[in-house]
Amino acid sequence: GTADFVLLSKTAALAPAAAVSLSFWMKPNAWDMTNGSNQDYFLGCVSSGGWGIYLNNSGSQVTTLEFIIKVTTSGYLYAKMDTSTTEALSGWKNIVATYDGETAKLYVNGGTTGITQEAGASGQTISYDNTNSTPIMLGSDALNDTDGQNFYHGLLDDVAVFNDDLSAAEVLAIYNDGVPFDLTADKGDYGSSGDLVGY
């Protein structure tokens, strides 16, 4: 099933505009999808804009891990983990996605092995749906996914949304060798507790 995380609004501070970071732990039922051309979203607010992180099946049983974000001027940017790297994953993984006003980045367990980041023009802001407030969904991409095509099957934990882009050192600190810690307090290289907008 799915759960509303926090409501985004075009004018609220809960809808980061200049930069965003997303962090969570996940354990899918399977990393190699065999169910057609689904996109199984771990976390998202994708509805004519916004962002999300999901497993993507191209329709030919090729699975990638992807971060999508819509920004002004460049449209949608994607950071992607290649098929062989994604399908070799197993068990619990820490996933972090960041956007700094130019580049969409994706990290798995603090690293970027097998991942292609994508940059657009510098200084862009995040574009959300212009007509509706779109909630951040856990286990789906948006409210209109009523047929379950994009539902995620597996476990999520320690989900966090920041209104800033985390540094590579902070991402590694959050992974912390596989031991999650309380993100509401700064610790070591992690110093972004004040930038949390949802946890």
Side-chain angles (χ1 to χ4, degrees), residues 50-138:
W51 42 259
I53 304 173
Y54 57 95
L55 286 175
N56 183 49
N57 186 324
S58 70
S60 55
Q61 312 312 315
V62 175
T63 306
T64 55
L65 175 65
E66 301 184 12
F67 168 47
I68 181 176
I69 186 165
K70 188 173 184 184
V71 298
T72 56
T73 310
S74 293
Y76 286 101
L77 298 177
Y78 296 85
K80 298 181 182 183
M81 175 175 270
D82 66 48
T83 300
S84 60
T85 306
T86 301
E87 294 184 355
L89 297 174
S90 64
W92 282 97
K93 300 296 176 207
N94 175 244
I95 307 298
V96 176
T98 67
Y99 176 70
D100 62 1
E102 182 174 356
T103 304
K105 296 180 182 178
L106 184 62
Y107 301 83
V108 177
N109 287 351
T112 58
T113 300
I115 297 172
T116 302
Q117 320 292 10
E118 186 174 17
S122 180
Q124 298 184 88
T125 58
I126 301 166
S127 295
Y128 294 97
D129 189 325
N130 289 327
T131 57
N132 297 298
S133 294
T134 303
I136 297 172
M137 301 295 289
L138 303 179

